[in-house]
Amino acid sequence: MSELIYLDNAATTKVAPEVYEAMNPYFEEYYGNAASVYRFAGESKKAVEDARKEVADFLGAKPNEIYFTGGGSESDNWALKGIAFSQRKKGKHIITSAIEHHAILHTCEYLEKLGYEITYVGVDENGIIKLDELEKSIREDTILISVMFANNEIGSIQPIKEIGEIAKKHKVLFHTDAVQAYGHVPINVDECHIDMLSASGHKINGPKGIGIMYLRNGVQIESFVHGGAQERGKRAGTHNTPGIVGFGRATTLAKEKMEERTKKEVELRDYLIKRVLDEVPYTKLNGDKVKRLPNNVNFSFRFIEGESLLIMLDQKGICASSGSACTSGSLDPSHVLLAIGLPHEIAHGSLRLTLSDETTKEEIDYTVEAIKTVVERLRSMSPLYEDFVKKNKQ
Ligand SMILES: *Cc1c(COP(=O)(O)O)cnc(C)c1O
């Protein structure tokens, strides 16, 4: 077993050797600017267009509907601001969910300052969006629905096809932040009536700083980065050829391995969930049991502070993430955990573990033992826990 147990694959992933190898020639050998006319640049241009096709194939889209961006956050910003600005004459109302990634939520807050109105639709206790609430919130002036495909904290997979059908019925554009789902579950943009979709390279064993936006042909959107004529005039900037090649290779690799990988991850995930729920008292699994990303586990441990848990797991060589936003300098518990109805003190004691296809049963066993030890230790120091135990004994 390696000294480092990396269980934070929702935060970022390791670049796959096949991806690294595919990217390599585009640094030193074929470094031409994909937009130049001489034959040497043709190698770069071809590589970019081949990658575009790989992405399009994965999504059931056309290559000219794929735009390369600087990552998931940029794609999310572009989708929201681009539609807000291009449709402002039609209306200024946007619908999203309460459990989106900050790339969506903070962009919505920015748009609110510019006079847009945002409706944040709630989720049930498993983190699944309330479809009736979503449909009821559609108005004359609604220009966009943006709901994530799968949640990055609790792994809940949304009823994307149903949302797409509602959007289509009411003739409202539909964007989905698919950063956590892309490469992990099958996605077909036509079947789900998706007009726009964001994905990111570094969440799928690809490089960091590269993403895509799928934009259905015919959808009018303002460009987000102004400058050169790259990406059909919609996203300026010299192509990140190695990054784009890496994104394409990572997509195809994820597609080829998906079935085998899902089976393996689901098995380990469910084993981890069962062991922790069985062996650590006063513990709750957050998120839907079934409609869940294959590699996501999220627990709340009562009487525990998530940050202390993370630090103590780190001392045992385990990289994990807490459900709270403390790491980002705020003491507020995660908006996702609050949205599924957890009280503050329980939301604070949360732990997210996200597996990769390289995670082993041995690593999971070691992690379960570490969690047991650390949780017991932290509880033994908690006055709240002491009170609780005393009360329960009486
Ligand atoms: C990671 C993530 C993003 C941001 O993607 P970057 O490429 O890191 O900018 C957006 N949305 C979700 C759901 C994510 O998990």
Side-chain angles (χ1 to χ4, degrees):
M1 192 162 61
S2 73
E3 271 163 40
L4 186 81
I5 299 182
Y6 186 76
L7 294 174
D8 202 16
N9 287 280
T12 197
T13 59
K14 164 171 143 181
V15 172
E18 295 93 328
V19 171
Y20 186 68
E21 218 170 280
M23 291 171 70
N24 227 337
Y26 295 93
F27 288 103
E28 276 192 302
E29 203 176 335
Y30 304 118
Y31 55 84
N33 187 324
S36 299
V37 290
Y38 35 80
R39 276 168 302 159
F40 174 57
E43 292 290 342
S44 312
K45 186 173 166 52
K46 185 177 179 307
V48 167
E49 295 317 313
D50 286 349
R52 200 187 304 282
K53 192 170 178 311
E54 288 183 276
V55 176
D57 283 349
F58 178 67
L59 291 172
K62 297 175 197 76
N64 70 357
E65 295 174 311
I66 306 301
Y67 296 79
F68 289 107
T69 68
S73 300
E74 184 188 317
S75 300
D76 284 348
N77 270 261
W78 183 20
L80 264 60
K81 294 176 197 169
I83 292 302
F85 298 158
S86 72
Q87 308 272 314
R88 66 188 183 283
K89 290 211 177 77
K90 183 185 172 221
K92 288 191 159 189
H93 180 236
I94 292 171
I95 299 169
T96 189
S97 87
I99 61 164
E100 298 294 310
H101 188 272
H102 283 137
I104 293 288
L105 290 180
H106 289 166
T107 305
C108 285
E109 284 169 24
Y110 167 75
L111 288 171
E112 281 176 313
K113 282 191 209 141
L114 297 186
Y116 288 82
E117 242 187 283
I118 317 284
T119 300
Y120 301 90
V121 177
V123 294
D124 67 16
E125 71 278 10
N126 292 326
I128 305 292
I129 193 159
K130 292 175 178 161
L131 287 173
D132 50 339
E133 202 179 306
L134 173 85
E135 186 159 18
K136 270 189 222 135
S137 67
I138 298 175
R139 317 188 310 208
E140 250 334 70
D141 60 343
T142 306
I143 50 175
L144 178 69
I145 295 172
S146 178
V147 176
M148 70 198 326
F149 207 112
N151 183 267
N152 46 303
E153 289 187 35
I154 56 173
S156 51
I157 299 176
Q158 302 302 327
I160 290 298
K161 191 173 175 200
E162 285 80 353
I163 299 170
E165 278 163 2
I166 291 172
K168 191 175 178 213
K169 185 172 133 198
H170 295 271
K171 297 193 174 58
V172 177
L173 291 172
F174 175 36
H175 166 257
T176 184
D177 172 347
V179 173
Q180 289 291 335
Y182 185 91
H184 292 268
V185 297
I187 302 177
N188 184 294
V189 288
D190 283 343
E191 273 171 26
C192 297
H193 307 292
I194 295 166
D195 296 306
M196 282 172 282
L197 174 147
S198 311
S200 172
H202 75 100
K203 303 284 174 81
I204 56 160
N205 303 103
K208 295 168 178 57
I210 183 78
I212 60 118
M213 166 103 110
Y214 158 78
L215 179 69
R216 183 176 291 282
N217 279 336
V219 174
Q220 296 300 314
I221 192 168
E222 293 283 312
S223 77
F224 187 55
V225 178
H226 299 93
Q230 291 91 352
E231 300 298 277
R232 294 172 298 286
K234 285 206 168 70
R235 200 281 186 181
T238 300
H239 287 105
N240 171 3
T241 312
I244 290 171
V245 168
F247 193 103
R249 188 73 194 97
T251 298
T252 303
L253 207 61
K255 184 172 150 181
E256 285 165 2
K257 286 186 170 178
M258 192 182 289
E259 210 180 295
E260 184 193 339
R261 179 182 172 149
T262 302
K263 190 168 165 282
K264 191 184 159 204
E265 284 178 353
V266 165
E267 214 167 276
L268 269 186
R269 175 196 74 186
D270 292 344
Y271 172 72
L272 169 60
I273 292 173
K274 186 174 182 332
R275 275 205 66 187
V276 170
L277 292 182
D278 284 353
E279 298 173 39
V280 186
Y282 314 117
T283 299
K284 176 185 179 301
L285 174 74
N286 297 316
D288 200 282
K289 275 204 191 72
V290 184
K291 293 174 210 148
R292 177 176 208 107
L293 286 172
N295 72 338
N296 172 288
V297 177
N298 188 307
F299 297 113
S300 288
F301 301 101
R302 282 178 69 187
F303 318 108
I304 295 270
E305 220 278 300
E307 291 304 291
S308 329
L309 184 60
L310 283 191
I311 292 163
M312 289 174 77
L313 288 177
D314 183 32
Q315 284 165 355
K316 294 181 179 291
I318 299 166
C319 304
S321 160
S322 86
S324 76
C326 298
T327 39
S328 53
S330 134
L331 282 174
D332 295 337
S334 138
H335 63 284
V336 176
L337 298 178
L338 295 181
I340 61 171
L342 292 194
H344 275 245
E345 69 277 13
I346 295 181
H348 264 304
S350 296
L351 177 72
R352 179 186 75 182
L353 302 163
T354 41
L355 322 185
S356 79
D357 61 340
E358 290 183 357
T359 307
T360 63
K361 182 160 180 290
E362 203 185 358
E363 288 177 322
I364 295 297
D365 283 327
Y366 175 85
T367 303
V368 173
E369 293 306 327
I371 291 172
K372 282 166 68 177
T373 312
V374 170
V375 167
E376 200 171 309
R377 174 100 197 283
L378 287 171
R379 281 182 180 161
S380 75
M381 300 188 291
S382 156
L384 281 174
Y385 185 62
E386 206 179 318
D387 282 355
F388 175 82
V389 172
K390 262 189 215 149
K391 265 192 210 129
N392 276 23
K393 272 191 185 149
Q394 279 162 10

